Amino acid sequence: MRILLVEDHTALASEVMSRIERAGYGVDRVGTKEDAVIALEDHAYSLALLDRRLPDGDGISLIALLRKKQPAIRILMLTALDAIDDRIDGLEAGADDYLTKPFNLDEMIARIRAHLRRRRDQPSPPIELGALSLDLDERTVSIAGRPALFPRSELILLETLLRRANCVVSREALNAQLYGNEIEAQDHALTSQVSRLRVRLTQLKAGVEIHSARSLGYIIRESNEYEA
């Protein structure tokens, strides 16, 4: 599960990211509303930690977009605004929870885990393309109704492409999902991963194809030869 942290305070963001990673979750950090919008286009997140006082405006205005782009996402507000009215504003705007700065990092992790458990209680519909079906909650794949096994890296790549099926997913976004934003991934490593996934999908007769998009990234589509 991957978490989006929207926090402009560098020192606090570093502490929060470190604690989240120690808890076993992947995390991406951005410092502005504008960068958060870009991250939402490129990645799928299970939960967002959202500061209110951002350089380019109130983070509360991001909640509607978060819900529109990724309906199953859980949203925790992180803020120094501790007045009752501020908390009410955040919750009524659609946030699931509220943490007032300064907060205990262990309590933050406990709340994250609680919200992710609730998220699993609300099953997400599978993504279907060609003969392929991806269960987003169990992270399992079936092809023509039969279970299909994929190595972890190929499953991450396939899920990232399927979440934006018929749209170009940038190489940067794919590398971030595979290797994390902080890791310098060699370009040929992604090319090799895509090549292996293409071969596997063809062998399994998944009815989908992965196309290159002029060095920008990759796009997954239903195969022209596929018949339901």
Side-chain angles (χ1 to χ4, degrees), residues 149-210:
L149 297 178
F150 291 78
R152 179 178 177 275
S153 58
E154 291 181 22
L155 180 59
I156 292 172
L157 180 58
L158 179 62
E159 178 180 343
T160 305
L161 290 167
L162 283 172
R163 283 181 180 274
R164 299 196 66 205
N166 301 308
C167 297
V168 175
V169 183
S170 70
R171 298 182 71 90
E172 292 78 11
L174 293 168
N175 275 323
Q177 290 292 336
L178 285 166
Y179 309 111
N181 282 343
E182 303 303 319
I183 296 177
E184 286 283 340
Q186 294 186 3
D187 206 42
H188 67 78
L190 175 61
T191 302
S192 297
Q193 290 278 11
V194 171
S195 179
R196 286 192 290 270
L197 179 58
R198 277 179 174 143
V199 170
R200 194 178 306 276
L201 292 171
T202 299
Q203 291 174 339
L204 293 172
K205 299 180 180 179
V208 298
E209 295 176 340
I210 299 174

Side-chain angles (χ1 to χ4, degrees), residues 6-8 29-37 54-56 62:
V6 187
E7 169 61 65
D8 64 313
R29 179 248 175 167
V30 296
T32 65
K33 291 167 52 181
E34 181 180 358
D35 287 341
V37 172
L54 296 168
D56 52 350
L62 281 172

Side-chain angles (χ1 to χ4, degrees), residues 98-144:
Y98 217 101
L99 277 172
T100 302
K101 300 175 185 177
F103 50 84
N104 181 280
L105 293 175
D106 290 333
E107 179 188 358
M108 177 194 72
I109 292 299
R111 292 200 188 196
I112 287 174
R113 286 174 174 154
H115 282 288
L116 292 179
R117 283 196 298 270
R118 291 174 200 165
R119 184 178 185 271
R120 289 196 294 269
D121 291 338
Q122 302 171 350
S124 304
I127 298 176
E128 297 181 344
L129 189 70
L132 189 153
S133 178
L134 170 65
D135 186 315
L136 293 170
D137 298 315
E138 298 296 329
R139 298 195 77 205
T140 56
V141 178
S142 61
I143 295 175

Side-chain angles (χ1 to χ4, degrees), residues 72-91:
I73 196 169
R74 310 296 292 189
I75 302 172
L76 274 69
M77 301 296 297
L78 304 179
T79 181
L81 299 173
D82 58 357
I84 292 295
D85 287 346
D86 291 323
R87 294 200 294 271
I88 291 173
D89 286 346
L91 295 171

